[in-house]
Amino acid sequence: MKKLKDYEIGIAKLSNKVHTYEFEMDDSFFDLFGKEIISGGKLLANVELDKTESLLTFKIDIKGHVRLTCDRSLDEFDHPVDVQDVFRVKYGDENMELADDLWQITSGTQAINIAQHLYDYISLSLPMKKLHPRFIEEIDEEDEESEEDILIYSSRGESDSEDEDDDDEDTDPRWDALKNLN
């Protein structure tokens, strides 16, 4: 069984250059985070770490599949995953998250564990509505039938742009009287 320590990258003794790592993720990886969202899978993460004096840049490429539970039928199915993302780590006074893709660590930090980052990137790549592939064809057919019913909302319609071009030609005389009050 894999542990979180298996996803740790020792940064203290690395030289300032590009380093590459490979991490395999299987059912034991997802056991570490619970199985509420993802019940299992088989993925390979290629991590390229570019280390400089003041910044660590992690380029992450994850490919494989995860096992999800269908929201409609509760059947399990394999969903493909293909994720490319980047996060950066800079040195500072304390350990903290500065943004979604930027972390700050102290200069004495010996290693960085990227397991949570890998899990988050995989989770964020999943669809909101998890449907077994046999239901996706039905959804596509329903969408084709109801294309006429699709409404597109806009804060500025075609009639608004035409009104601006006409410069008050078709305005109500009562509005003109109100404009003259200024």
Side-chain angles (χ1 to χ4, degrees), residues 22 116 136 170:
E22 251 186 26
Q116 186 66 52
I136 291 178
D170 299 327

Side-chain angles (χ1 to χ4, degrees), residues 1-61:
M1 179 163 180
K2 291 190 178 193
K3 302 174 203 157
L4 284 175
K5 192 160 179 86
D6 294 341
Y7 300 94
E8 209 167 80
I9 297 176
I11 58 170
K13 296 181 181 179
L14 290 179
S15 59
N16 291 339
K17 65 177 188 174
V18 176
H19 305 272
T20 57
Y21 300 91
E22 251 186 26
F23 298 98
E24 290 185 13
M25 294 165 285
D26 54 16
D27 293 349
S28 61
F29 173 78
F30 296 106
D31 287 340
L32 298 171
F33 297 97
K35 295 195 173 203
E36 294 83 29
I37 299 173
I38 303 170
S39 57
K42 182 132 180 83
L43 299 120
L44 180 66
N46 291 309
V47 178
E48 184 179 286
L49 167 59
D50 185 5
K51 183 180 181 195
T52 63
E53 286 295 324
S54 60
L55 188 68
L56 303 168
T57 303
F58 292 86
K59 292 180 183 174
I60 298 175
D61 183 21

Side-chain angles (χ1 to χ4, degrees), residues 41 51 61 74 119 175:
K51 183 180 181 195
D61 183 21
L74 300 178
Y119 183 78
W175 290 109

Side-chain angles (χ1 to χ4, degrees), residues 98-113:
L98 300 173
D100 289 339
D101 61 347
L102 179 63
W103 284 68
Q104 178 177 294
I105 60 172
T106 61
S107 58
T109 302
Q110 298 293 313
I112 294 178
N113 192 312

